[in-house]
């Protein structure tokens, strides 16, 4: 059944199906989807609003906690402002201190008298007795350098960096940094500074880091930038009440602050990463809000897909039914045309020879005999054809009934073959018989058996071509009894051997030999009802062997 036939014959049914079922359903689906989507969006907006307000509350209480607890994750840059100036993080180092009085003599020797050798001795004494050992050691190193004792100077700087790293010089610079720079031991120093190892003022930090690597940048400097922004642009609300927490926005930072009395204010910038990375997911989980977009999409997609699958399934079923119906129609048409054609020949012959017998009184006894034989033969053929059609229609209706009996089929087969022999020999065939006189008992329906055997013999005659030899055999063995008909006629191609048992199938090799392709279909049906099988072995041009295999009754 080609698609063209389907669309040609049943385009209307198909269009009606599409127009009345598929199209309206797709429209409904679309409308449903639209309203579902609107609802989903409304719900999403509502949820988002609820979430935003809950988040605000959470941020508020986290901010409160951050004022009580120093390293709260919500605070990224903490600050203190006094009298409008940012004092933490410090932007500028305090002005340099004076050297202690005990150092004045040594300083004079070093700087005014230009006697580093004497100064060295004085500083060494101070190192031994004075509390500011770091300061003394740095002066010792300086004098050694002035005296050209470079290695000793470097050793002194190293000792200073190792022993008094947190001690500061008169300009408030940590010895840990200054001495390491002097000694040239800068490996890892940048990272130590950038990790906040020393508390530095913004200008100090920037100076040291630029010295160490002018090209590198570090987030460590962000809080100084933030401090500068604070100093330049931050204006707290008027009339702050002490202890109360206020919030505001500064550039891209959100800040919280509170007054600590006497023109002092402290606060911090909110750590956005913590809010988005920790607080929001946690809150979402607590509120049971999942990211449903993807899930919803799967549900919509799945539902639509399912409907489409069902619709396609409907289309397939419809097409299949249509093609089945068309095939059945064709079968019926074929049957009617071939049956009427097949019936015509015997009826014409019967009538012709019947009329001859009636009208022509002067026929010789031989001629009379011939006429009667033809009439009998053709009426037998006619009744076989009608039998076939009746059986076929019973099978199609599921009303074919068999009446089985248990027994030896050898004498029955011999009888059927014997009945046929005369007809065959008259048609010029030589029949070779190899039939065992008895066989193990099988379950069989004698009428059906007779029909199957007759069909095979009929076919052997029809498809023998020039050959005139037909052989029949009945053998028992291997738990079965097999009847075989062999001819040496046209044969059947391998591809067609399985198809010849289908209804109305007529092999191309057979030629137009009368019949309507039902004989072997009936044979197979009969054999299946017997629990046995119908088999063929054939070679085009060499002939065929058809076998009926009956299982031995247990
Ligand atoms: P039909 O009425 O056409 O003989 P059958 O069902 O008996 O119908 O056979 C189906 C087809 O099988 C035949 O049309 C023929 O082509 C092929 N066929 C059947 N028996 C033989 C045979 N003995 N030799 C060659 N071809 C055969």
């Amino acid at each position: 059944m080609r698609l063209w036939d389907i669309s040609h014959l049943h385009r209307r049914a198909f269009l009606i199906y599409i127009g009345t079922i598929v199209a309206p359903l797709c429209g409904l689906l679309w409308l449903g989807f639209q309203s579902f989507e609107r609802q989903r969006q409304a719900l999403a907006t509502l949820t988002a609003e609820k979430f935003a307000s809950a988040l605000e509350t959470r941020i508020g209480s986290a901010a409160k906690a951050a004022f009580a607890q120093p390293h709260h994750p919500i605070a990224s840059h903490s600050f203190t402002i006094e009298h409008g100036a940012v004092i933490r993080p410090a932007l500028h180092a305090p002005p340099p201190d004076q050297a202690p009085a005990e150092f004045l003599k040594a300083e004079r020797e070093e700087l005014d008298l230009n006697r580093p050798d004497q100064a060295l001795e004085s500083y060494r004494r101070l190192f031994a007795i004075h509390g500011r050992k770091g300061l003394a050691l740095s002066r010792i190193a300086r004098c050694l350098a002035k005296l050209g004792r470079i290695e000793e100077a470097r050793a002194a700087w190293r000792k200073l960096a190792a022993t008094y790293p947190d001690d500061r010089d008169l300009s408030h610079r940590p010895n840990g940094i200054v001495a390491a720079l002097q000694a040239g031991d800068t490996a890892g120093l940048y990272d130590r500074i950038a990790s906040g190892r020393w508390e530095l003022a913004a200008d100090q930090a920037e100076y040291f880091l630029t010295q160490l690597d002018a090209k590198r940048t570090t987030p460590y400097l962000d809080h100084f930038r933030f401090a500068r922004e604070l100093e330049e642009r931050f204006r707290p609300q008027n009339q702050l009440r002490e202890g109360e927490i206020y919030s505001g926005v500064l550039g891209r930072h959100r800040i919280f602050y509170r007054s600590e009395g006497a023109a002092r204010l402290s606060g911090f910038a909110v750590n956005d990463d913590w809010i988005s990375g920790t607080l929001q997911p946690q809150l979402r989980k607590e509120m049971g809000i999942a990211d449903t977009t993807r899930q919803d999409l799967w549900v919509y997609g799945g539902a639509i897909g399912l409907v489409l699958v069902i619709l396609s399934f409907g289309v397939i079923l419809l097409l299949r039914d249509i093609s089945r119906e068309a095939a059945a129609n064709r079968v019926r048409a074929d049957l009617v045309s071939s049956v009427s054609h097949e019936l015509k020949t015997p009826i014409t012959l019967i009538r012709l020879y019947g009329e001859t017998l009636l009208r022509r009184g002067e026929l010789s006894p031989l001629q009379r005999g011939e006429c009667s034989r033809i009439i009998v033969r053709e009426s037998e053929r006619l009744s076989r054809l009608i039998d076939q059609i009746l059986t076929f229609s019973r099978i199609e209706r599921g009303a074919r009934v068999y009446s089985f009996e248990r027994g030896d089929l050898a004498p029955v087969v011999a009888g059927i073959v014997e009945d046929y022999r005369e007809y065959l020999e008259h048609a010029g065939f030589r029949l070779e018989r190899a039939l065992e006189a008895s066989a193990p008992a099988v379950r069989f329906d004698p009428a059906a058996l007779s029909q199957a055997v007759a069909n095979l013999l009929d076919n052997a005659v029809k498809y023998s071509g020039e050959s005139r030899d037909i052989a029949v055999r009945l053998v028992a063995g291997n738990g079965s009894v097999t009847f075989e008909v062999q001819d040496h006629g046209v044969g059947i191609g391998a591809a067609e051997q399985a198809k010849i048992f289908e209804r109305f199938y007529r092999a191309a090799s057979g030629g137009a030999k009368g019949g309507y392709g039902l004989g072997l279909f009936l044979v197979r049906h009969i054999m299946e009802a017997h629990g046995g099988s119908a088999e063929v072995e054939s070679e085009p041009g060499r002939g065929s062997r058809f076998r009926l295999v009956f299982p031995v009754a247990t």
Side-chain angles (χ1 to χ4, degrees):
M1 188 73 200
R2 288 165 314 183
L3 204 67
W4 184 88
D5 293 332
I6 297 163
S7 57
H8 177 69
L9 292 169
H10 296 277
R11 197 183 289 153
R12 230 171 94 86
F14 190 61
L15 286 180
I16 288 173
Y17 175 75
I18 297 283
T20 57
I21 298 176
V22 180
L25 214 65
C26 286
L28 276 177
L29 218 72
W30 171 246
L31 287 178
F33 180 74
Q34 292 271 315
S35 84
F36 217 50
E37 182 60 17
R38 266 198 298 278
Q39 264 184 32
R40 197 183 66 85
Q41 270 174 11
L43 201 75
T45 317
L46 205 75
T47 318
E49 279 167 9
K50 244 164 96 187
F51 181 71
S53 95
L55 185 66
E56 268 318 295
T57 316
R58 279 300 173 83
I59 292 177
S61 44
K64 208 170 188 176
F67 279 104
Q69 158 194 348
H71 295 291
H72 195 283
I74 194 174
S76 63
H77 306 305
S78 302
F79 61 86
T80 308
I81 298 176
E82 259 177 28
H83 301 287
V86 178
I87 58 159
R88 193 175 57 93
L91 290 173
H92 309 286
D97 291 340
Q98 289 283 326
E102 295 85 347
F103 278 68
L104 291 180
K105 176 179 164 273
E107 279 196 345
R108 198 169 338 109
E109 286 166 345
E110 183 196 352
L111 305 171
D112 299 343
L113 305 175
N114 205 12
R115 290 294 303 271
D117 51 337
Q118 283 180 8
L120 179 62
E121 291 314 310
S122 308
Y123 286 134
R124 282 204 164 126
R125 265 194 303 279
L126 282 168
F127 181 72
I129 56 166
H130 199 270
R132 297 206 56 182
K133 297 208 185 300
L135 185 61
L137 193 53
S138 75
R139 294 297 157 86
I140 290 168
R142 198 163 77 187
C143 288
L144 284 169
K146 280 181 182 168
L147 291 167
R149 291 153 69 177
I150 302 302
E151 278 315 308
E152 282 172 80
R154 182 170 291 159
W157 287 124
R158 274 196 187 128
K159 184 174 170 192
L160 178 59
T163 325
Y164 307 103
D166 296 311
D167 206 9
R168 306 245 169 176
D169 65 10
L170 296 177
S171 303
H172 308 283
R173 301 175 306 176
N175 283 328
I177 300 175
V178 177
L181 278 169
Q182 292 285 359
D185 295 340
T186 54
L189 187 56
Y190 189 106
D191 293 322
R192 262 179 289 149
I193 296 173
S195 71
R197 162 76 180 73
W198 293 278
E199 192 168 315
L200 299 172
D203 45 12
Q204 289 175 329
E206 279 162 357
Y207 171 78
F208 289 133
L209 292 181
T210 320
Q211 285 273 304
L212 285 165
D213 191 342
K215 289 197 204 90
R216 234 174 110 175
T217 53
T218 160
Y220 170 65
L221 293 174
D222 284 353
H223 72 282
F224 294 121
R225 266 179 230 128
F226 172 70
R228 286 214 171 85
E229 214 175 335
L230 263 178
E231 193 156 80
E232 281 164 22
R233 310 213 340 245
F234 177 58
R235 300 286 167 266
Q237 286 185 21
N238 287 329
Q239 296 174 355
L240 297 181
R241 261 174 293 156
E242 203 176 317
E244 188 150 329
I245 295 169
Y246 298 87
S247 90
V249 175
L250 185 74
R252 57 182 187 85
H253 295 286
R254 177 164 181 195
I255 58 174
F256 282 97
Y257 57 94
R258 71 174 179 189
S259 153
E260 290 177 341
R264 187 183 154 98
L265 200 146
S266 75
F268 57 84
V270 166
N271 179 357
D272 292 330
D273 291 344
W274 181 74
I275 302 270
S276 61
T278 308
L279 189 60
Q280 286 188 352
Q282 189 183 325
L283 188 60
R284 220 174 258 137
K285 211 159 138 197
E286 279 171 31
M287 291 176 72
I289 303 171
D291 186 7
T292 54
T293 328
R294 188 174 282 264
Q295 209 176 317
D296 287 351
L297 229 90
W298 274 109
V299 173
Y300 297 148
I304 290 175
L306 192 71
V307 172
L308 289 180
V309 165
I310 292 172
L311 285 183
S312 324
F313 196 61
V315 171
I316 291 169
L317 283 186
L318 185 74
L319 286 179
R320 216 180 54 173
D321 270 17
I322 285 173
S323 59
R324 270 204 194 142
E325 198 191 319
N329 278 343
R330 222 176 28 184
V331 164
R332 264 177 241 131
D334 285 359
L335 183 65
V336 169
S337 89
S338 60
V339 164
S340 32
H341 180 261
E342 284 306 308
L343 294 184
K344 228 154 129 189
T345 322
I347 288 175
T348 313
L349 288 175
I350 290 168
R351 208 172 117 196
L352 193 74
Y353 285 96
E355 281 172 0
T356 313
L357 279 179
L358 273 180
R359 292 207 204 106
R360 307 252 301 268
E362 69 278 14
L363 286 176
S364 70
L366 206 70
Q367 285 171 319
R368 279 177 168 281
E370 180 64 6
C371 282
S372 318
R373 225 189 333 269
I374 290 172
I375 288 173
V376 170
R377 192 191 70 203
E378 290 306 313
S379 47
E380 272 169 6
R381 183 170 159 201
L382 194 60
S383 74
R384 263 205 311 278
L385 284 172
I386 288 169
D387 260 7
Q388 269 192 3
I389 296 163
L390 288 178
T391 316
F392 171 70
S393 101
R394 262 185 232 120
I395 289 174
E396 290 293 276
R397 279 185 286 122
R400 171 80 154 110
V401 210
Y402 293 92
S403 53
F404 292 109
E405 52 190 60
R406 198 187 133 106
D408 185 357
L409 53 63
V412 185
V413 168
I416 302 167
V417 172
E418 183 54 32
D419 285 349
Y420 228 83
R421 191 179 55 85
E422 197 193 339
Y423 163 68
L424 284 178
E425 285 175 355
H426 192 81
F429 283 87
R430 281 178 296 277
L431 180 66
E432 183 197 318
R433 281 177 288 179
L435 305 171
E436 284 183 10
S438 74
V442 298
R443 249 177 99 249
F444 71 103
D445 173 342
L449 169 70
S450 157
Q451 197 174 20
V453 170
N455 274 331
L456 293 190
L457 288 168
D458 245 7
N459 282 350
V461 171
K462 275 198 291 188
Y463 304 109
S464 262
E466 300 299 308
S467 154
R468 282 294 170 268
D469 288 307
I470 294 175
V472 291
R473 287 175 204 103
L474 183 77
V475 283
N478 287 339
S480 59
V481 178
T482 304
F483 173 71
E484 179 182 284
V485 177
Q486 181 182 13
D487 65 56
H488 303 279
V490 294
I492 307 151
E496 289 188 303
Q497 287 178 16
K499 295 188 189 159
I500 54 174
F501 293 98
E502 290 168 14
R503 60 168 75 85
F504 302 116
Y505 189 85
R506 310 195 62 204
S509 50
K513 273 290 183 316
Y516 26 70
L518 278 182
L520 290 180
F521 169 72
L522 299 180
V523 169
R524 190 188 60 180
H525 194 274
I526 290 168
M527 290 317 293
E528 280 172 2
H530 280 77
S533 60
E535 296 165 4
V536 63
E537 212 176 87
S538 184
E539 211 180 303
R542 308 279 306 263
S544 320
R545 281 163 191 254
F546 282 86
R547 276 187 211 107
L548 308 179
V549 183
F550 296 83
V552 169
T554 47

